[in-house]
Structure formats: C-alpha cells, structure tokens
Amino acid sequence: IDLHIHTLRTKSDPANFDFDINELSEYVKRAGLEAIAVTNHNAFDVENYNSICDALECVVFPGIEINVTTPGKYGHV
C-alpha cells in the first residue's frame, strides 16, 4: 500500500511536476501494490480520482494532504 500519491500539481509541489497515469500504473505494477491513496496538497479533484480508479486494477482511496502552519513552522498531515 502507498498512501501518499500526488496526481495534481498544487502550490506545494515542484513547478516541474507532471502527472502521468501510465507512469503511475507502471509504479503500482512494479511495486506490487494492492492499494494506493490519492493525497494531493489541500485539494481533491473527483474527476482526477475517478479516472485513476478506472485506470488502475488496485484499490484507490481518496484523501487530501493538508498543509499545516504555525508561527515559524510548516508541515503537512
């Protein structure tokens, strides 16, 4: 299981981030994953999620990686 998959470029991702469903599919197969979670930063796109569910043969969980800030600190959960 990989519970940390980014599929959409957000402000928190590198500028050169490009999602490729074929690359994700190959990663899932090569790693022998039975499940993944789509966890983009502060965003959930149902069309993106549904297209991934349709393309992959593993369980795909919905999720969101939320940026958390406090004075002087930055993180995400």
Side-chain angles (χ1 to χ4, degrees):
I1 296 174
D2 186 337
L3 299 177
H4 188 215
I5 302 285
H6 295 274
T7 61
L8 297 174
R9 189 167 72 84
T10 66
K11 290 187 283 184
S12 299
D13 293 301
N16 64 350
F17 174 81
D18 291 313
F19 173 68
D20 182 328
I21 189 63
N22 294 320
E23 201 172 301
L24 177 59
S25 180
E26 281 302 312
Y27 165 67
V28 168
K29 289 177 188 173
R30 190 173 54 252
L33 298 176
E34 295 180 14
I36 64 167
V38 174
T39 55
N40 296 304
H41 288 275
N42 304 311
F44 182 79
D45 183 304
V46 70
E47 289 179 22
N48 175 259
Y49 172 76
N50 286 337
S51 69
I52 292 166
C53 289
D54 291 343
L56 299 182
E57 296 182 16
C58 68
V59 175
V60 182
F61 295 105
I64 299 175
E65 183 173 350
I66 300 174
N67 292 355
V68 179
T69 60
T70 58
K73 293 185 180 182
Y74 170 83
H76 40 256
V77 292

